[in-house]
Amino acid sequence: MKTPTSLVRRTAWPTSTSAPVVTPLQPSVVYASPDPDALDAQYDDASGFTYAREGHPNAEVLAAKIDMLEGAQGGFITGSGMSAISAMFLGLLKAGDHVVGGDQLYGRTLRMMTQDLPRLGITTSLADPTDAAAIVAAIRPETRLVLVEVISNPTIRLADMEGIIAVCREKGVLLAVDNTFTTPRMYQPLTAGADIVIHSVTKLLAGHSDATLGYIAARDPDLTSAMMAANVTWGLTPSPFDCWLAERGLHSFDLRFDRAEDNARKLAQALSDMPGIARVIYPGSASHLDHNRAQALFGARAGNMLSFELTGGREAANAFTRSASQIAFAPTLGDVGTTLSHPASSSHRALTPDARTAMGISEGFFRVSVGIEDADMLIAEIDIAAQAAARA
Ligand SMILES: *Cc1c(COP(=O)(O)O)cnc(C)c1O
């Protein structure tokens, strides 16, 4: 029997007067045009879609929602948080330029700054973002951009955002803010005066640890165009399915964030009374080193991220994670469930013990991304783990 060749012709989508309430998922890689004139016209005014690497509806829908949260315009979605940072560097910098970064940036960002950009002839310096004077001291005549995170990982210190914004304005240097930990619910970099805002959408915005995506927006549309061109050319494009998942996750972002923050506040309080806990680091606690800055930057908000230190060392840390087996011991953040990370064995394992000690990261140091589970249950689990660690 002859195979009917009509199978490869796409059937027209069934019409319906009633429309779906859910954003459709559009995985099409390519879009067909009526004729060359129409295609030409579409390229001329950069409207619609032609090829998914250049843009697709699910990315556009998601970007528009994050734009709304960030008070941004024309932001776009990238294949990961690191892609967003790559699109920024590749789109805005050239050999001979210099970049200043916070000295406790996300691990891969630090690697990009210290190893990859120098290979491309772009020099970099790291400086302490809790002190705007340290940032200004690192700025050179050829400095084009400063990149900071508002909350440092994993020591949860706060950048001197007001000082850094003023310094970058004065020096005519672009300021990019990775707003992943803070999210627009706590802090809006563009509104505060930064030039560029970046997200690992993978984390709190998507919120379910099932999509890897990034977002970036600039105040100046020319910068956005340059970064978007890099995103398309270097192939940093996101998957439609991930964008679809992230949009669904975003529907509950504000509710999740508020619940997680509320849980974090309760957990920080409870931790300080548990056995074998040397210190708790949470910006919402009056004892936090940057508590006044937290209030100035975030008002009553303090986020879902906290760190704590056990009085014991690695043995205590092992006992803690084994006992807290219901809490994922996994190097991520922003999931609906609480996750625990241990910098000495993961993000900061390449450092010498002395270098870690200088940063305040001991073998008993944990970072917690607090989730939205029942607070009493979470506190009870952590309490049992703290007791196990204290016995170890
Ligand atoms: C996770 C993370 C990134 C990288 O994002 P990916 O989506 O994993 O590529 C960048 N910055 C911060 C602060 C992060 O937490």
Side-chain angles (χ1 to χ4, degrees):
M1 202 182 100
K2 255 181 87 184
T3 308
T5 51
S6 60
L7 279 182
V8 301
R9 297 276 176 265
R10 264 71 170 196
T11 315
W13 194 251
T15 55
S16 164
T17 309
S18 47
V21 293
V22 172
T23 302
L25 170 62
Q26 182 49 271
S28 191
V29 165
V30 73
Y31 293 76
S33 305
D35 57 42
D37 277 354
L39 182 58
D40 227 11
Q42 196 180 340
Y43 275 124
D44 278 347
D45 63 10
S47 65
F49 306 100
T50 50
Y51 188 68
R53 181 168 33 69
E54 316 254 334
H56 53 72
N58 290 103
E60 229 175 80
V61 166
L62 177 61
K65 286 202 169 162
I66 304 177
D67 279 351
M68 215 160 53
L69 289 172
E70 282 292 4
Q73 278 180 349
F76 61 94
I77 303 296
T78 66
S80 66
M82 288 314 300
S83 297
I85 292 169
S86 301
M88 174 177 73
F89 286 150
L90 294 168
L92 303 185
L93 303 180
K94 60 181 187 320
D97 286 342
H98 174 254
V99 183
V100 175
D103 58 4
Q104 283 193 43
L105 290 170
Y106 181 70
R108 279 281 154 186
T109 311
L110 276 181
R111 189 202 131 108
M112 198 182 274
M113 298 266 308
T114 55
Q115 297 181 40
D116 299 278
L117 292 185
R119 225 164 14 83
L120 304 177
I122 297 160
T123 54
T124 62
S125 308
L126 301 178
D128 177 4
T130 64
D131 179 9
I135 297 287
V136 78
I139 292 178
R140 303 176 190 168
E142 65 274 23
T143 305
R144 172 103 168 101
L145 187 143
V146 170
L147 170 62
V148 296
E149 292 167 16
V150 187
I151 298 183
S152 72
N153 176 32
T155 52
I156 320 282
R157 292 294 308 271
L158 304 193
D160 177 4
M161 292 309 302
E162 287 176 10
I164 294 170
I165 287 165
V167 155
C168 289
R169 281 259 168 90
E170 185 195 317
K171 297 275 182 188
V173 172
L174 295 174
L175 174 61
V177 178
D178 180 335
N179 204 30
T180 301
F181 275 43
T182 15
T183 83
R185 200 129 179 94
M186 275 175 92
Y187 188 71
Q188 292 177 314
L190 297 185
T191 311
D195 299 288
I196 295 169
V197 58
I198 298 166
H199 276 281
S200 169
V201 176
T202 313
K203 313 290 171 51
L204 284 141
L205 294 181
H208 296 71
S209 298
D210 53 10
T212 300
L213 291 171
Y215 163 89
I216 190 160
R219 188 200 298 282
D220 176 350
D222 290 343
L223 298 183
T224 304
S225 301
M227 298 192 296
M228 202 183 269
N231 196 51
V232 170
T233 306
W234 294 77
L236 309 173
T237 316
S239 125
F241 183 51
D242 277 10
C243 293
W244 186 88
L245 280 172
E247 191 217 343
R248 193 170 77 153
L250 208 56
H251 293 154
S252 60
F253 163 66
D254 49 0
L255 299 175
R256 283 187 288 105
F257 190 85
D258 291 357
R259 167 75 173 235
E261 180 178 63
D262 199 41
N263 282 355
R265 211 180 284 282
K266 289 175 180 159
L267 179 61
Q269 181 62 44
L271 265 168
S272 56
D273 296 328
M274 289 180 194
I277 305 290
R279 61 186 177 124
V280 181
I281 313 171
Y282 183 60
S285 305
S287 61
H288 190 279
L289 278 172
D290 305 316
H291 184 61
N292 290 341
R293 184 174 287 166
Q295 288 181 317
L297 290 179
F298 311 141
R301 295 224 162 255
N304 79 313
M305 301 299 296
L306 64 86
S307 291
F308 67 88
E309 197 171 14
L310 301 171
T311 49
R314 176 63 71 95
E315 274 314 302
N318 284 334
F320 189 93
T321 56
R322 284 198 293 257
S323 172
S325 61
Q326 297 303 306
I327 299 170
F329 172 46
T332 189
L333 65 110
D335 185 57
V336 282
T338 297
T339 53
L340 268 179
S341 82
H342 182 251
S345 63
S346 56
S347 53
H348 293 66
R349 66 189 304 255
L351 300 181
T352 63
D354 281 350
R356 281 198 295 266
T357 304
M359 295 175 76
I361 301 170
S362 67
E363 283 291 343
F365 191 103
F366 281 95
R367 186 195 76 186
V368 192
S369 166
V370 180
I372 65 171
E373 54 267 72
D374 180 79
D376 292 339
M377 180 190 80
L378 174 65
I379 289 168
E381 287 167 345
I382 298 269
D383 190 41
I384 289 169
Q387 290 178 39
R391 282 193 303 272

